C-alpha cells in the first residue's frame, strides 16, 4: 500500500515575493478649512514613505477627525482599520506616535495584542517601536503609560494656567467671535464684520426675528466667519453674546476627568470681566435685545429649528439674476386651466424699472438640468476627465511637505509651552521669566499658524475642485442617462444657477465649471 507523507510548505519562502501591505493611521483637524489639506499632506507623506520601500505595498491612510486619543470607541477610522486587519487586508501599520494611537494604556495594549494575534504589527515613528519585536512590549507599556499620564498632566497644567488667567482677568480669547480679530494677543474690532453685528442688533431692536435677520444676511450674500450661510441659531448666538458689549464671561464650558467637554451649569466657577475689550454694541442696546428675545420666547414658545424652512425646494436661494445680482423667489401661478410654479427676480418684483428679467417656470430649470447632465455623460471623456487629470497634475508635493514641517514645529512649540507651564506651576521659575518665554513661544506659534493657513488656502481650492469633479464623474459613470429631474444630484453638484435671460441660464457647478443651457 502506498504511503504518503505531507511535507509542509515553507511560509518564509512563500512570503519571499509577496509585498507587505502597509497602511498608515493619523488624526486630522476638525476645522473644515484645514482638514482637506492636512489629510492630503499626511497622505502624501505616507504614500511617498511607503512606496519608497520596494518590499511594501501602500494600502491607504485611515484617519479620525481631531478626536481625543483617550477613547478608542469614538474613533471610527481606527476601528475601520482594525476591522480591515481582521479581514486580512493589512499586514503592517505606521503611526506617528503612541499618543496618536491611544493615551489609555489598557486600550492601547489590548489593541496591539489583538493585532499581534492577527500577525499585524505597528511601527510608531516617534518612539521607534515596532510591535513585531517581542521585547518592544515593555517599552510600549512604558510609553503608553507616559502618554496617558502626559494627557492628564497636560490637562491639569492647562486647567491650572487657565484658572490663573481667569482669576486675574488676563485670559486671551483664542478664537474671537464674529466682529473681532486677534492682534498681538488682544481682541480688536474687525470693522467690516462689526457692521454686520450692528445690523443684526438694529434689525432685532426693530422687531425682526432671528429667522428673518438670517434670511436678510443670506440675501445680501454675507458669509459667516467660516464662510458658510447664516442660520437663525447663528444670529441668536450673536444677539446673546456678551462680548459685543465689551464684556467676557469666562469658563462657559469645562472638561471632566474623562476628557469630555460640558456646558458649565454651575459645576465650575465662572468669571465675568467687565470692559475686557472695545465694545461694538452699547450696554443699552444689548440689554434691550435680551428683553425682546426673552419676551418673544415666552409669548410664542419659540423652538429653534435652524434650517427647517431653508431648503424646502431644490432651487430656493440658488437662482441668481445676472442683470441685478438678486436671488429669485419661488411663486405659485394659478389660472382657470392650470396651476404651476415659477421663479422671479426679487428686484423685478419690487421695482420692474430696476430689473427687466421675467419669470421662468420651475419645470424649465428641471429640464435644463436634465439636458446638462445628459450632455456631460456623452462629453465626460473630453471635458471632465481631462479637467480631473489637470487638477491632479498640479504639483503640490513641496506644499504638503512644508505643511508637515509646520505641523511638527507647532507640536514642538506646544510641548515647550506645556513644559514651561509645568515649571511655573511647581514654582521652579519666576512668573516674569515664564511670561517672557511664553510670549515668545506664542508669537512663534502664531507665525507658524499664519504660514500654514496660507498654504492651506493655496492648495484647498484645487483639492476641493478635484474632489467635486471626481464625485460628478462617479455619479455620471453610475448612470446611463437622466429621464427626470433628480433633486439630490442637483444639490450634490450645482452651486447655483445664473439667469442671463429668459432663454439662457448657466449652471455653476461645485467643481468650478459654468455650463450654459438654452431654455
Amino acid at each position: 500500500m502506498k504511503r504518503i507523507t505531507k511535507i509542509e510548505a515553507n511560509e518564509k519562502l512563500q512570503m519571499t515575493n509577496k509585498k507587505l501591505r502597509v497602511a498608515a493611521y493619523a488624526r486630522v483637524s476638525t476645522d473644515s478649512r484645514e482638514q482637506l489639506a492636512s489629510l492630503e499632506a499626511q497622505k502624501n507623506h505616507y504614500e511617498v514613505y511607503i512606496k519608497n520601500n520596494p518590499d511594501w505595498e501602500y494600502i491607504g491612510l485611515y484617519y479620525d477627525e481631531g478626536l481625543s486619543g483617550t477613547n478608542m470607541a469614538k474613533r471610527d477610522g481606527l476601528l475601520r482599520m482594525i476591522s480591515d486587519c481582521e479581514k486580512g487586508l493589512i499586514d503592517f501599520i505606521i503611526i506617528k506616535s503612541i499618543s496618536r494611537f491611544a493615551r489609555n494604556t489598557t486600550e492601547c495594549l489590548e489593541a496591539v495584542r489583538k493585532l499581534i494575534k492577527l500577525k499585524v504589527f505597528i511601527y510608531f515613528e516617534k518612539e521607534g517601536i515596532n510591535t513585531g519585536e517581542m521585547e518592544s512590549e515593555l517599552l510600549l507599556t512604558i510609553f503608553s503609560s507616559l502618554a496617558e499620564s502626559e494627557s492628564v498632566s497636560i490637562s491639569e497644567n492647562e486647567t491650572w494656567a487657565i484658572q490663573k488667567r481667569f482669576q486675574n482677568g488676563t485670559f486671551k480669547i483664542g478664537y474671537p467671535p464674529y466682529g473681532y480679530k486677534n492682534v498681538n494677543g488682544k481682541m480688536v474690532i474687525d470693522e467690516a464684520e462689526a457692521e454686520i453685528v450692528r445690523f443684526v442688533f438694529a434689525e432685532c431692536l426693530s422687531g425682526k426675528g432671528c429667522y428673518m435677520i438670517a434670511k436678510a444676511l443670506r440675501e445680501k450674500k454675507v458669509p459667516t466667519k467660516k464662510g458658510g450661510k447664516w442660520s437663525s441659531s447663528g444670529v441668536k448666538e450673536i444677539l446673546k453674546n456678551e462680548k459685543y458689549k465689551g464684556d467676557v464671561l469666562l469658563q462657559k464650558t469645562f472638561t471632566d476627568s474623562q476628557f469630555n467637554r460640558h456646558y458649565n451649569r454651575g459645576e465650575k466657577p465662572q468669571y465675568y470681566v467687565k470692559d475686557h475689550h472695545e465694545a461694538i454694541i452699547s450696554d443699552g442696546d444689548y440689554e434691550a435685545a435680551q428683553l425682546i428675545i426673552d419676551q418673544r420666547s415666552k409669548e410664542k414658545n419659540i423652538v429653534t429649528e435652524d434650517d427647517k424652512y431653508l431648503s424646502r425646494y431644490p432651487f430656493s436661494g440658488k437662482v441668481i439674476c445676472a442683470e441685478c445680482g438678486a436671488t429669485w423667489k419661488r411663486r405659485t401661478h394659478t389660472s382657470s386651466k392650470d396651476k404651476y410654479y415659477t421663479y422671479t427676480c426679487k428686484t423685478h418684483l419690487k421695482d420692474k424699472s430696476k430689473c427687466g428679467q421675467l419669470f421662468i417656470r420651475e419645470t424649465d430649470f428641471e429640464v435644463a438640468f436634465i439636458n446638462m447632465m445628459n450632455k456631460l455623460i456623452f462629453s465626460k471623456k473630453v471635458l471632465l476627465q481631462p479637467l480631473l487629470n489637470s487638477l491632479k497634475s498640479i504639483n503640490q508635493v513641496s506644499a504638503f511637505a512644508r505643511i508637515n514641517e509646520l505641523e511638527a514645529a507647532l507640536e514642538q512649540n506646544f510641548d515647550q509651552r506645556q513644559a514651561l507651564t509645568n515649571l511655573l506651576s511647581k514654582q521652579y521659575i519666576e512668573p516674569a521669566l515664564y511670561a517672557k518665554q511664553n510670549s515668545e513661544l506664542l508669537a512663534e506659534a502664531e507665525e507658524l499658524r499664519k504660514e500654514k493657513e496660507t498654504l492651506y488656502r493655496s492648495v484647498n481650492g484645487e483639492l476641493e475642485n478635484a474632489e467635486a469633479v471626481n464625485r460628478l464623474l462617479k455619479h455620471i459613470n453610475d448612470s446611463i442617462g437622466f429621464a427626470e429631474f433628480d433633486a439630490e444630484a442637483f444639490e450634490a453638484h450645482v452651486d447655483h444657477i445664473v439667469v442671463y435671460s429668459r432663454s439662457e441660464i448657466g449652471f455653476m457647478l461645485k467643481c468650478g465649471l459654468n455650463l450654459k443651457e438654452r431654455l
Side-chain angles (χ1 to χ4, degrees):
M1 187 176 190
K2 289 183 180 180
R3 192 174 170 188
I4 300 171
T5 302
K6 182 181 178 182
I7 301 171
E8 296 292 342
N10 189 320
E11 290 186 10
K12 289 186 178 178
L13 290 176
Q14 283 184 335
M15 294 293 290
T16 302
N17 298 318
K18 185 180 177 182
K19 286 190 174 185
L20 204 66
R21 295 166 298 176
V22 184
Y25 174 76
R27 291 209 307 272
V28 296
S29 169
T30 50
D31 189 333
S32 59
R33 297 171 301 170
E34 297 186 4
Q35 188 182 107
L36 190 59
S38 177
L39 184 60
E40 285 297 323
Q42 293 189 61
K43 183 179 177 183
N44 181 74
H45 165 71
Y46 286 116
E47 189 169 359
V48 172
Y49 177 67
I50 292 169
K51 286 184 176 179
N52 278 342
N53 189 322
D55 298 324
W56 289 359
E57 177 189 349
Y58 179 58
I59 298 300
L61 175 69
Y62 295 79
Y63 67 94
D64 285 302
E65 301 174 1
L67 298 171
S68 168
T70 56
N71 192 338
M72 282 191 177
K74 297 179 180 179
R75 294 157 68 186
D76 294 336
L78 181 59
L79 295 176
R80 191 172 68 255
M81 181 179 72
I82 293 173
S83 174
D84 285 349
C85 290
E86 291 173 331
K87 295 173 185 175
L89 304 176
I90 300 169
D91 302 315
F92 195 62
I93 300 165
I94 297 175
I95 302 175
K96 186 174 182 180
S97 68
I98 291 174
S99 62
R100 295 293 175 96
F101 183 60
R103 284 194 172 127
N104 180 304
T105 305
T106 304
E107 284 192 343
C108 179
L109 290 176
E110 283 179 358
V112 167
R113 286 168 182 161
K114 182 176 184 179
L115 291 172
I116 287 174
K117 284 183 180 178
L118 296 169
K119 295 185 179 180
V120 177
F121 306 113
I122 305 174
Y123 176 64
F124 296 103
E125 292 182 280
K126 186 176 178 180
E127 294 83 6
I129 292 177
N130 185 338
T131 62
E133 302 168 1
M134 291 304 295
E135 63 269 20
S136 290
E137 180 152 328
L138 177 59
L139 280 175
L140 183 64
T141 304
I142 294 169
F143 279 115
S144 58
S145 296
L146 288 173
E148 183 174 359
S149 61
E150 178 194 11
S151 182
V152 174
S153 176
I154 286 173
S155 177
E156 289 176 348
N157 284 341
E158 283 186 340
T159 301
W160 179 87
I162 289 170
Q163 286 289 342
K164 287 291 182 184
R165 294 198 292 274
F166 281 166
Q167 290 168 15
N168 59 31
T170 60
F171 181 79
K172 294 176 182 177
I173 307 299
Y175 190 73
Y178 188 90
Y180 289 98
K181 57 186 176 182
N182 261 336
V183 177
N184 297 324
K186 294 183 179 180
M187 273 176 60
V188 298
I189 292 176
D190 181 323
E191 198 51 50
E193 291 182 356
E195 279 302 309
I196 303 302
V197 173
R198 295 185 189 105
F199 170 80
V200 168
F201 274 88
E203 292 290 278
C204 174
L205 295 175
S206 72
K208 291 185 180 177
C210 294
Y211 172 75
M212 293 304 297
I213 298 171
K215 184 179 178 184
L217 291 172
R218 290 195 301 273
E219 289 174 356
K220 289 173 177 283
K221 298 188 183 303
V222 176
T224 62
K225 199 171 186 74
K226 290 190 175 182
K229 293 182 179 180
W230 288 93
S231 66
S232 56
S233 63
V235 169
K236 191 171 184 179
E237 281 179 15
I238 283 184
L239 292 169
K240 299 289 286 184
N241 196 332
E242 79 288 340
K243 293 182 181 71
Y244 294 114
K245 61 173 180 170
D247 301 343
V248 175
L249 177 62
L250 300 174
Q251 198 152 260
K252 290 180 179 177
T253 61
F254 69 95
T255 303
D256 63 21
S257 59
Q258 300 301 312
F259 304 96
N260 297 313
R261 183 160 289 278
H262 306 277
Y263 282 104
N264 186 359
R265 306 188 191 281
E267 296 89 342
K268 300 287 182 181
Q270 292 184 315
Y271 304 86
Y272 195 90
V273 184
K274 287 282 291 181
D275 302 322
H276 176 271
H277 52 272
E278 188 179 355
I280 295 175
I281 303 299
S282 70
D283 274 353
D285 285 349
Y286 178 83
E287 296 304 331
Q290 306 317 300
L291 290 172
I292 290 172
I293 294 170
D294 292 343
Q295 186 63 28
R296 186 178 291 117
S297 298
K298 289 175 183 176
E299 290 177 356
K300 300 184 178 180
N301 195 24
I302 292 174
V303 177
T304 304
E305 294 180 79
D306 297 353
D307 300 310
K308 185 175 180 181
Y309 301 106
L310 300 188
S311 304
R312 291 174 66 188
Y313 310 107
F315 306 120
S316 294
K318 290 196 170 187
V319 182
I320 312 297
C321 183
E323 184 174 329
C324 68
T327 54
W328 284 40
K329 183 178 181 180
R330 190 178 192 263
R331 306 183 80 200
T332 304
H333 284 235
T334 306
S335 65
S336 57
K337 297 181 179 180
D338 194 14
K339 176 183 178 181
Y340 57 93
Y341 301 103
T342 68
Y343 279 83
T344 309
C345 175
K346 289 182 179 178
T347 303
H348 179 83
L349 287 173
K350 292 177 182 176
D351 188 346
K352 295 178 183 179
S353 65
K354 292 183 179 179
C355 182
Q357 292 265 39
L358 300 177
F359 72 85
I360 294 176
R361 291 195 181 213
E362 186 175 59
T363 51
D364 290 344
F365 287 124
E366 293 177 352
V367 171
F369 177 74
I370 293 168
N371 291 338
M372 180 202 68
M373 293 297 283
N374 285 329
K375 287 177 184 176
L376 284 175
I377 290 174
F378 291 105
S379 63
K380 61 185 178 184
K381 290 183 179 179
V382 295
L383 179 63
L384 295 181
Q385 195 60 56
L387 175 60
L388 182 60
N389 295 338
S390 173
L391 289 168
K392 284 184 175 180
S393 68
I394 296 172
N395 190 350
Q396 296 175 333
V397 174
S398 60
F400 290 144
R402 181 57 182 159
I403 286 172
N404 281 321
E405 288 174 6
L406 290 168
E407 287 181 341
L410 280 166
E411 192 171 308
Q412 184 180 6
N413 180 284
F414 176 79
D415 290 342
Q416 289 174 325
R417 283 186 281 127
Q418 288 302 316
L420 198 62
T421 302
N422 194 32
L423 290 172
L424 178 65
S425 66
K426 294 177 180 177
Q427 298 182 347
Y428 291 157
I429 59 173
E430 293 294 325
L433 179 61
Y434 166 81
K436 179 178 180 296
Q437 293 187 359
N438 191 56
S439 179
E440 290 172 356
L441 286 169
L442 285 171
E444 178 190 81
E446 184 64 23
E447 288 302 314
L448 292 170
R449 272 192 290 269
K450 283 180 181 177
E451 185 181 349
K452 193 173 77 165
E453 280 283 336
T454 302
L455 281 171
Y456 278 146
R457 283 195 296 270
S458 69
V459 301
N460 266 347
E462 287 82 3
L463 290 171
E464 288 170 357
N465 284 345
E467 198 175 67
V469 175
N470 204 37
R471 286 197 304 269
L472 182 57
L473 264 172
K474 187 178 184 306
H475 189 100
I476 286 171
N477 287 335
D478 291 342
S479 175
I480 57 173
F482 290 82
E484 57 184 33
F485 178 71
D486 185 337
E488 288 186 6
F490 176 83
E491 178 65 29
H493 305 298
V494 178
D495 184 75
H496 63 274
I497 298 171
V498 179
V499 179
Y500 299 104
S501 69
R502 211 178 187 190
S503 59
E504 186 180 48
I505 62 172
F507 290 95
M508 292 297 299
L509 304 187
K510 291 182 179 180
C511 63
L513 288 175
N514 178 13
L515 303 179
K516 293 184 178 181
E517 282 292 325
R518 302 291 296 180
L519 300 180

